[in-house]
Amino acid sequence: EDLPYLAKNIVANAGIGIYIVQNGKFVYVSDLYQKITGYTDKELLGSYSLDNIYPDDKEKVRTQAVKCLKEDRCEPYEYRFVTKNHEIIWVLETVASILYKGERAALGSFIDITERKQIEKKLQLEEQLFKTITDQSSDIIVIINREGIINYENSAVEKVLGFGTK
């Protein structure tokens, strides 16, 4: 077997999809990686790692991965992935350069952040709605944080007082 017992236990229980890519192709995919993507190891092994990335994100992922492989530490990056059942999910990934069977390879970790991205989008839409509603008001609406710093003011501040605080 390729992975020692302890490493197998860590990979199985870490809550992160793990994969290894060598020469651009998958040579190892963890059970969770398969579960997240919907693809089996038989479908993935030997296939190109960029094949199932959402087309608009492929170049970004390639650039980020190369950057990560050249540096000691790198920031995780987000992108869209197309699962086997054609669902588009958001993932957070990081890769590191390793030796696998005596050759250079990329070790990747991969988590599904689709739910977080949906919440972010919902909050963004609610913020836009709030701004639209408050900007229509002729009343002055100002939000000040505990330190006394203005976080938000509607357009009535300028209309009523003749100046903005920003």
Side-chain angles (χ1 to χ4, degrees), residues 3-100:
L3 295 175
Y5 178 75
L6 177 63
K8 274 190 162 176
N9 269 332
I10 292 168
V11 167
N13 296 296
I16 298 169
I18 303 287
Y19 63 86
I20 298 173
V21 169
Q22 217 164 27
N23 302 315
K25 294 182 180 181
F26 288 108
V27 292
Y28 170 81
V29 287
S30 71
D31 290 345
L32 186 56
Y33 186 90
Q34 294 171 66
K35 188 178 175 196
I36 293 169
T37 65
Y39 291 97
T40 65
D41 54 355
K42 287 173 183 50
E43 292 169 310
L44 290 167
L45 296 178
S47 71
Y48 285 100
S49 62
L50 295 173
D51 281 355
N52 300 309
I53 294 169
Y54 188 74
D56 293 352
D57 295 351
K58 278 186 187 186
E59 201 46 52
K60 176 180 114 176
V61 172
R62 186 190 325 264
T63 304
Q64 282 291 136
V66 166
K67 186 178 169 205
C68 281
L69 294 172
K70 287 180 178 174
E71 297 174 7
D72 285 341
R73 291 200 49 78
C74 80
E75 292 296 310
Y77 47 92
E78 302 173 354
Y79 65 91
R80 290 164 292 181
F81 184 95
V82 183
T83 65
K84 186 176 178 179
N85 64 0
H86 308 291
E87 209 182 325
I88 296 168
I89 63 169
W90 278 94
V91 297
L92 180 69
E93 177 176 83
T94 187
V95 294
S97 184
I98 62 163
L99 278 179
Y100 180 73

Side-chain angles (χ1 to χ4, degrees), residues 96-130:
S97 184
I98 62 163
L99 278 179
Y100 180 73
K101 296 184 177 179
E103 287 183 48
R104 275 269 155 244
L107 172 69
S109 64
F110 182 98
I111 58 172
D112 184 348
I113 59 164
T114 306
E115 197 173 327
R116 190 196 89 197
K117 293 298 274 188
Q118 289 167 343
I119 291 167
E120 282 175 8
K121 187 172 185 173
K122 186 176 184 257
L123 286 172
Q124 204 174 25
L125 291 171
E126 286 173 1
E127 186 180 342
Q128 285 172 341
L129 178 62
F130 170 79

